[in-house]
């Protein structure tokens, strides 16, 4: 178990990352190739990821470079997931390139003592070798992660909406209390489930605050830096549910046809700010069961995504849903401006 100790200052400085961390999503997606745990939650992604890697001739680089460097184990080097990556892939890659050689050699040494490091990995202390690694990371991200990006972002937005509910209801402590079964808030300590083979440890924030980063590809235990001197970051898993049924190729319009009608239009609008099934029911003036059916139709059409928030579920727009709503709003605005008064 990891115990994260907060002060009042730390609570004030705790934040939720605005977007997926691309370098950590690379890491976690590589872990998915090394385990069958949770395979059902990534079925759609997994079916196409290997095919794309073959098409781009990336399989050998993944097998010989990335998988040995990112083992699904109690440890992998901290420098591979710099905190700067929360600002985007290029910011993270630049941080890897700027990592001091001494730190890299030290962390590769820890990896070697823990699970074994590839012989070539010590060369990463040299800038040229890190630049080659950066090229592989970019190619892997473009091939395996980017095609799934809209779905990942939609899930992250849904998680942020759920955590904002906790923040509004109970402040930062309310947000921490709703992070899921792997994290338990026992003021002033956040208890974090860790792999069984890892030793229990304590992380004292000491006024630095904590950056919480929801991860789509991480499965199971949250992840923190092994080095307590680094900026405190905690990557944690989304709560996955079986993927919604997608429209078949020979019936592409059925789900979209289901969207016609006032109740579903109201439901779509309500989801733009995040709405529970009960809130959709009240907004649309329908029963809870009817609201659930409307939300399901929107989800099947790929226009909303649903995440559990305690005993309720929260519906938020996907990028496609946001585009549909914006288009409808633009059309309404155009009609208003072109209507001639009687």
């Amino acid at each position: 178990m990891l115990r994260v100790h907060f002060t009042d200052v730390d609570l004030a400085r705790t934040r939720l990352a605005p977007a997926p961390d691309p370098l950590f999503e690379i890491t976690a997606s590589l872990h998915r190739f090394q385990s069958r745990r949770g395979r059902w939650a990534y079925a759609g992604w997994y079916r196409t990821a290997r095919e794309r890697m073959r098409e781009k001739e990336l399989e050998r680089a993944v097998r010989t470079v990335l998988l040995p460097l990112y083992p699904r184990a109690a440890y992998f080097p901290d420098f591979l997931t710099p905190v700067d990556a929360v600002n985007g892939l290029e910011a993270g890659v630049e941080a890897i390139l700027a990592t001091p050689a001494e730190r890299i050699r030290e962390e590769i040494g820890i990896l070697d003592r823990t699970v074994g490091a590839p012989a070539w990995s010590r060369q990463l202390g040299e800038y040229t070798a890190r630049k080659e690694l950066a090229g592989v990371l970019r190619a892997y991200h473009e091939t395996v992660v980017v095609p799934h990006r809209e779905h990942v972002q939609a899930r992250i937005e849904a998680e942020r909406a759920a955590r904002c509910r906790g923040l509004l209801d109970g402040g930062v402590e309310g947000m921490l209390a709703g992070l899921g079964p792997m994290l338990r808030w026992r003021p002033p300590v956040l208890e974090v489930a860790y792999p069984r083979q890892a030793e229990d440890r304590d992380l004292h924030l000491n006024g630095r605050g904590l950056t919480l980063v929801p991860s789509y590809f991480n499965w199971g235990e949250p992840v923190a830096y092994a080095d307590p001197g680094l900026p405190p970051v905690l990557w944690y898993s989304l709560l996955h549910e079986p993927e919604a049924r997608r429209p078949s190729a020979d019936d592409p319009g059925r789900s979209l046809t289901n969207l016609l009608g006032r109740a579903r239009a109201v439901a779509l609008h309500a989801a733009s700010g995040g709405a529970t099934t009960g809130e959709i029911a009240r907004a649309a003036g329908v029963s809870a069961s009817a609201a659930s059916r409307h939300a399901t139709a929107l989800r099947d059409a790929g226009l909303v995504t649903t995440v559990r928030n305690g005993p309720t579920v929260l519906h938020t727009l996907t990028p496609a849903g946001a585009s549909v709503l914006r288009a409808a709003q633009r059309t309404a605005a155009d009609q208003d401006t072109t209507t001639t008064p009687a």
Side-chain angles (χ1 to χ4, degrees):
M1 177 181 292
L2 170 66
R3 291 175 290 270
V4 184
H5 298 260
F6 287 74
T7 65
D8 289 343
V9 174
D10 293 312
L11 288 172
R13 292 180 176 175
T14 292
R15 72 185 186 102
L16 193 65
D21 175 338
L23 283 180
F24 189 81
E25 294 304 316
I26 286 174
T27 302
S29 69
L30 288 166
H31 291 170
R32 301 284 58 76
F33 288 125
Q34 301 174 61
S35 172
R36 295 192 65 83
R37 289 180 60 198
R39 180 68 61 85
W40 59 266
Y42 307 95
W45 169 80
Y46 194 83
R47 280 193 299 269
T48 58
R50 289 187 179 277
E51 182 180 342
R52 291 191 180 108
M53 287 192 296
R54 283 194 296 270
E55 290 174 353
K56 298 294 182 179
E57 299 182 343
L58 269 176
E59 287 182 303
R60 184 173 183 276
V62 170
R63 184 176 63 254
T64 61
V65 177
L66 297 184
L67 292 179
L69 201 57
Y70 295 81
R72 186 178 171 274
Y75 178 84
F76 60 86
D78 287 336
F79 79 88
L80 295 172
T81 52
V83 67
D84 308 63
V86 298
N87 297 316
L89 178 66
E90 288 308 313
V93 167
E94 288 302 317
I96 290 177
L97 294 174
T99 305
E102 182 178 352
R103 177 186 162 193
I104 290 175
R105 286 192 291 268
E106 179 181 345
E107 294 186 3
I108 293 296
I110 297 173
L111 177 64
D112 195 35
R113 292 191 298 273
T114 304
V115 294
W120 56 264
S121 61
R122 294 190 181 278
Q123 299 174 15
L124 290 172
E126 302 173 7
Y127 181 83
T128 302
R130 292 204 299 283
K131 196 165 184 179
E132 292 178 2
L133 173 63
V136 176
L137 290 173
R138 290 189 181 100
Y140 177 88
H141 183 262
E142 183 67 26
T143 302
V144 176
V145 178
V146 167
H148 210 60
R149 180 168 52 191
E150 284 197 355
H151 181 64
V152 173
Q153 183 64 47
R155 291 299 315 278
I156 297 295
E157 290 295 339
E159 170 65 12
R160 281 174 55 81
R163 299 290 73 81
C164 285
R165 291 265 172 147
L167 183 68
L168 290 172
D169 292 341
V172 175
E173 293 193 63
M175 180 178 71
L176 293 174
L179 286 174
M182 293 287 182
L183 302 103
R184 180 178 297 179
W185 175 241
R186 292 188 172 180
V189 176
L190 182 64
E191 295 180 345
V192 183
Y194 247 38
R196 292 180 180 179
Q197 64 269 32
E199 295 182 358
D200 286 2
R201 66 188 185 102
D202 292 88
L203 174 61
H204 295 270
L205 298 179
N206 295 326
R208 296 174 295 171
L210 179 68
T211 299
L212 294 162
V213 186
S215 168
Y216 178 81
F217 285 109
N218 193 54
W219 180 267
E221 297 88 355
V223 178
Y225 286 129
D227 183 353
L230 293 173
V233 179
L234 187 66
W235 294 271
Y236 68 95
S237 305
L238 299 178
L239 297 179
H240 291 273
E241 296 187 11
E243 292 184 350
R245 180 191 61 79
R246 298 187 180 279
S248 61
D250 59 351
D251 185 19
R254 189 176 73 175
S255 289
L256 289 178
T257 301
N258 288 342
L259 295 176
L260 297 176
R262 174 187 170 279
R264 285 181 186 147
V266 172
L268 188 67
H269 189 274
S272 65
T276 65
T277 304
E279 289 168 342
I280 289 176
R282 288 192 291 274
V286 298
S287 67
S289 60
S292 180
R293 289 195 298 272
H294 293 316
T296 297
L298 292 168
R299 187 169 63 249
D300 286 347
L303 300 182
V304 305
T305 188
T306 301
V307 64
R308 292 198 176 277
N309 183 34
T312 62
V313 292
L314 187 67
H315 309 284
T316 60
L317 295 183
T318 63
S323 296
V324 169
L325 187 59
R326 284 196 299 270
Q329 291 171 336
R330 282 197 300 270
T331 299
D334 291 343
Q335 290 174 343
D336 287 343
T337 57
T338 56
T339 299
T340 304

